[in-house]
Amino acid sequence: MKQHNETLTGLRGFLALSVVLYHIYESAVLENSITALPKNNILYLIHHAGSISVNLFFVISGYLITRSLISTRTVKAFFINRLLRIYPVFIVIHLMIFAVGPFMKYKWMDGIGAGEYMVHFFSNLLLLPGMFPLPIAQIVAWSLSYEFAFYILAGLVFIVWSKESYHRFVKYFCFFLLAAVCLTVVYWHPNFLFFLVGIAVFMSENQIKASWKPSKLFSLGGFILLIFIYLSYQLKQFYLIIPLLLSYLFFLTVAMEHGFFSRFLRTRMMRYLGQISFSLYMWHTVIMFPLKRVVPRIGLGVPEYEFAIYAVLSLALSIAVSHVSYRYIEIKLTNFIKKSFRTRRYKANKKAGTSYPF
């Protein structure tokens, strides 16, 4: 099975960029810097860029997490990898927001008491807002709450499925309980179904690749399916059934790396944005918050010009900060943590009389 998919990397970048542009537009509308687009304007579809991009991120997670669980030696290693993937960047932003938020009157932190501050500090640290109706410090972190809930459920399913020592009735009972939990989660958070789309792609892609070879006739399939996804959100018919089906078909073109849209996603720029996509997703709203205050003070007096400056600065600074974050937090800090962890494991094993580090 091919492990590195450059189209998938580019898709991450495309989705992260879409979320940034969506938040730039939405925040400008809320600040009355620009007038909201009318629904009969084709550009109105930008209103759905945020939700569509996050849901497709969930599809990516469903696809990759399934592969990761199957290839990882233990569930413990899987969870350690997930924690090291998300928490270094998250905690840096988390500490920064809770350090300066009350002084900058950031959202609900204005005038907050010490007890309430501590409750929200730890609830946000544990990624509870999103899955639960709690105040959230990092606007985009609600999706991380979904991600970790999925990691836990997927890990539990994998444990039950892989334990051959379990009696079959015990397995059935555990699966029944997990199914009940999953149905409850989906009932309250229907977007969880997009994780299942990713799992479905992973489980079916080899069979599809073996039985059907994409031809030039379907070269525009990725573009067309993405447009249909946007239109399905606009029409709001059949609730999630149509978007789920379209997302499955769209992601197949990504998994197969087929078509012109796949070529676009494999360009150097999209792959670069894909590399820094997590940092870009996490940092951009933090960058935009002070800019919303600073740009109007420039004194141009023309909302359209102020919006243009705000948009350019938001995008440019978000990419610049995300580049630094990727290089020094996602790579260097994470590698330092891994190295420290391995050193402690090695010393512990050596003290116990073993000669191997893991």
Side-chain angles (χ1 to χ4, degrees):
M1 181 185 297
K2 185 179 179 181
Q3 294 296 312
H4 184 66
N5 185 320
E6 292 186 341
T7 301
L8 188 56
T9 302
L11 179 61
R12 283 195 184 116
F14 177 80
L15 297 178
L17 181 62
S18 298
V19 173
V20 174
L21 296 177
Y22 163 76
H23 280 140
I24 290 174
Y25 167 77
E26 287 290 337
S27 62
V29 171
L30 290 175
E31 297 293 326
N32 296 317
S33 298
I34 60 173
T35 304
L37 293 165
K39 288 189 176 182
N40 58 357
N41 189 322
I42 187 64
L43 295 178
Y44 181 83
L45 292 176
I46 194 174
H47 282 269
H48 309 298
S51 55
I52 288 174
S53 297
V54 172
N55 286 338
L56 288 176
F57 270 127
F58 291 161
V59 175
I60 293 175
S61 289
Y63 177 83
L64 292 179
I65 294 308
T66 304
R67 185 171 73 184
S68 178
L69 276 169
I70 292 175
S71 61
T72 302
R73 289 176 295 179
T74 64
V75 174
K76 179 181 177 181
F78 163 75
F79 278 113
I80 290 174
N81 288 336
R82 291 295 89 202
L83 289 171
L84 290 175
R85 176 71 181 95
I86 288 176
Y87 260 98
V89 174
F90 171 82
I91 287 180
V92 170
I93 300 175
H94 176 80
L95 294 176
M96 185 180 70
I97 289 178
F98 275 88
V100 304
F103 303 102
M104 293 185 65
K105 298 181 179 180
Y106 176 70
K107 296 167 59 178
W108 45 265
M109 291 185 182
D110 184 15
I112 192 173
E116 193 177 1
Y117 175 94
M118 294 304 296
V119 169
H120 295 321
F121 179 90
F122 285 104
S123 68
N124 278 268
L125 182 63
L126 296 174
L127 297 172
L128 298 180
M131 286 298 297
F132 301 97
L134 297 168
I136 190 166
Q138 299 183 47
I139 297 173
V140 297
W142 68 269
S143 64
L144 299 186
S145 181
Y146 279 51
E147 291 276 353
F148 261 90
F150 173 66
Y151 298 161
I152 293 171
L153 290 172
L156 290 174
V157 170
F158 181 79
I159 289 173
V160 175
W161 174 72
S162 60
K163 286 291 184 180
E164 296 181 357
S165 59
Y166 286 179
H167 191 280
R168 64 175 181 174
F169 291 113
V170 175
K171 279 195 172 187
Y172 293 155
F173 179 72
C174 290
F175 279 131
F176 173 79
L177 289 179
L178 288 171
V181 172
C182 291
L183 289 173
T184 302
V185 171
V186 169
Y187 176 80
W188 291 107
H189 305 286
N191 286 18
F192 244 84
L193 290 170
F194 284 93
F195 290 109
L196 299 182
V197 172
I199 296 173
V201 173
F202 177 82
M203 301 299 291
S204 62
E205 67 170 321
N206 287 337
Q207 290 79 4
I208 293 175
K209 285 179 180 179
S211 60
W212 177 69
K213 301 298 180 183
S215 65
K216 293 182 179 180
L217 181 65
F218 300 100
S219 293
L220 292 175
F223 281 115
I224 294 172
L225 287 167
L226 185 60
I227 292 172
F228 281 171
I229 289 173
Y230 270 83
L231 292 176
S232 69
Y233 278 70
Q234 176 72 4
L235 296 174
K236 295 181 179 179
Q237 293 185 2
F238 306 106
Y239 193 46
L240 283 177
I241 297 176
I242 299 301
L244 288 168
L245 176 60
L246 291 171
S247 297
Y248 173 81
L249 296 174
F250 168 75
F251 201 77
L252 277 178
T253 68
V254 174
M256 295 182 180
E257 298 192 85
H258 174 72
F260 292 119
F261 192 63
S262 175
R263 294 182 187 177
F264 165 70
L265 294 177
R266 292 198 300 271
T267 59
R268 186 174 181 179
M269 175 59 72
M270 286 297 104
R271 286 187 285 113
Y272 166 72
L273 291 176
Q275 283 185 325
I276 67 170
S277 59
F278 181 66
S279 285
L280 183 59
Y281 180 76
M282 295 300 297
W283 277 104
H284 74 277
T285 54
V286 180
I287 302 300
M288 289 163 57
F289 179 75
L291 287 176
K292 284 189 289 186
R293 296 187 175 190
V294 172
V295 171
R297 294 180 181 179
I298 296 176
L300 294 176
V302 182
E304 289 77 11
Y305 292 164
E306 291 180 355
F307 168 69
I309 294 173
Y310 167 69
V312 171
L313 287 178
S314 294
L315 184 59
L317 290 177
S318 294
I319 292 176
V321 171
S322 299
H323 177 86
V324 175
S325 173
Y326 171 74
R327 184 172 180 179
Y328 290 100
I329 301 178
E330 291 191 58
I331 301 298
K332 290 194 175 182
L333 177 59
T334 301
N335 286 340
F336 173 78
I337 295 172
K338 288 180 179 179
K339 185 178 180 180
S340 300
F341 177 75
R342 288 168 183 164
T343 301
R344 286 196 297 269
R345 287 287 301 273
Y346 175 78
K347 290 180 179 179
N349 287 331
K350 187 175 181 181
K351 186 177 181 180
T354 57
S355 58
Y356 49 86
F358 299 104

